[in-house]
Amino acid sequence: MRLSPNVAIIAAAGARKTQTVIDAALADPAQRVLITTYTNENLRQIAMRIEQINGVVPAHVRIAGWFSFLLSDGVRPYQSALFNEVGVVAGLNFIGQRNRFAKGGTREYFIDRNHDVYRDGVSDLVCKLDTKSAGRVIRRLEAIYDHIYIDEVQDLVGYDLDFLDLLFGSKIAITVVGDPRQHTFATNNGPKNKRYRGAGLIDWLQERAAVCEREDRAVSHRCNQEICDFASALFPQFPAITSAHETVTGHDGIQFVSRFEVLDYAHTHRPEVLRYDKRANTQGLPAINFGVSKGSTYDRVLIFPTKPIREYLEHRDPAKLKRPEALYVAVTRARFSVAFVE
């Protein structure tokens, strides 16, 4: 029997994290459910997949972006608790930076001249409003939702984790799902809780074992075993990934392609071409960045490696990779084969 209504599902790429959320959200129409996630693409995927299963998003399920949720359900209802008036907050300032001399906790610290909340301060503001209103922010959420699902939880950083602490302590059942190995996006750039970014999220969850049970899923339904082994080696501190499929195509696993044979290889195998960023020379082949590919599945991928990735391929020392999560995402997009350009 589950001791806590809260659970964190830490699952490898291809372990059907998002599908778990969708299935659970649709299972009980009597439950008032919120599904939230950071990126617009993931939000779109969730809505599309629910509509494919159910025809429409059912009335008992609300789908909202992380910042939309914070602003509509966290900031606006009790903004007067800090600002002494309503209608102060207009929207979100996603790219601007506050004046570095702004005093913490003031209007100027949180809100710009257009009444938009600075991206780095939204969760901080929600937490302060809950304190100033004697817990009314969380009590209001308890009256609205029975269960909140947070997909791609590894994207939450800074004060988002403080707000998640408040949710864990509420009467709402909280389910968070994600893979810290895929920490390629972040909700903000603030220094708060810096040590819990990426793989550090596991430490944060471990410290909260009394209020949130953790479930590890290390079986990939996407990648074959050779690709799983390559991905596992990038993060040896995590459980090794096991493949759930045994399909053999005759061109499988990790491959290496000479730069002189790239065009012929692409013509023969039709891989999705991935690059770290637009500075990569892909020999005229259309390509997408590693981060943009997150959430996608392809039969095969062809990777144009950066210098650090080439060095990793030679020495296989993950400690020397500056961004192992980027390579992990790129490799685990493939079902059958991953080819590196030499």
Side-chain angles (χ1 to χ4, degrees), residues 89-228:
V89 174
L92 177 70
N93 182 331
F94 190 79
I95 58 174
Q97 291 185 329
R98 68 173 65 90
N99 186 312
R100 63 190 182 95
F101 296 110
K103 184 179 178 181
T106 63
R107 179 183 299 203
E108 293 73 22
Y109 183 83
F110 290 113
I111 301 174
D112 68 12
R113 295 178 181 178
N114 296 318
H115 298 276
D116 294 330
V117 182
Y118 291 109
R119 168 190 178 186
D120 287 359
V122 183
S123 292
D124 184 10
L125 178 55
V126 173
C127 292
K128 282 184 169 54
L129 290 174
D130 187 67
T131 299
K132 288 286 187 178
S133 65
R136 287 184 174 86
V137 172
I138 294 299
R139 289 205 298 275
R140 180 178 179 275
L141 292 176
E142 291 172 336
I144 298 173
Y145 302 114
D146 298 307
H147 206 133
I148 294 177
Y149 295 89
I150 302 174
D151 197 11
E152 304 290 2
V153 67
Q154 74 277 355
D155 294 345
L156 305 191
V157 297
Y159 281 98
D160 292 335
L161 298 182
D162 287 18
F163 178 55
L164 194 50
D165 268 331
L166 294 180
L167 291 178
F168 282 164
S170 74
K171 298 176 182 178
I172 308 166
I174 307 297
T175 298
V176 302
V177 302
D179 183 1
R181 291 161 290 195
Q182 296 189 63
H183 179 63
T184 57
F185 296 112
T187 51
N188 64 77
N189 300 313
K192 177 72 173 180
N193 290 320
K194 185 177 181 179
R195 67 190 181 96
Y196 296 124
R197 286 177 177 249
L201 179 64
I202 297 299
D203 295 330
W204 187 86
L205 289 170
Q206 185 60 38
E207 292 169 10
R208 284 148 184 83
V211 295
C212 181
E213 295 185 38
R214 176 178 151 195
E215 176 184 331
D216 290 310
R217 297 186 182 178
V219 176
S220 175
H221 297 269
R222 177 189 300 144
C223 310
N224 62 31
Q225 191 59 55
E226 189 173 348
I227 296 172
C228 287

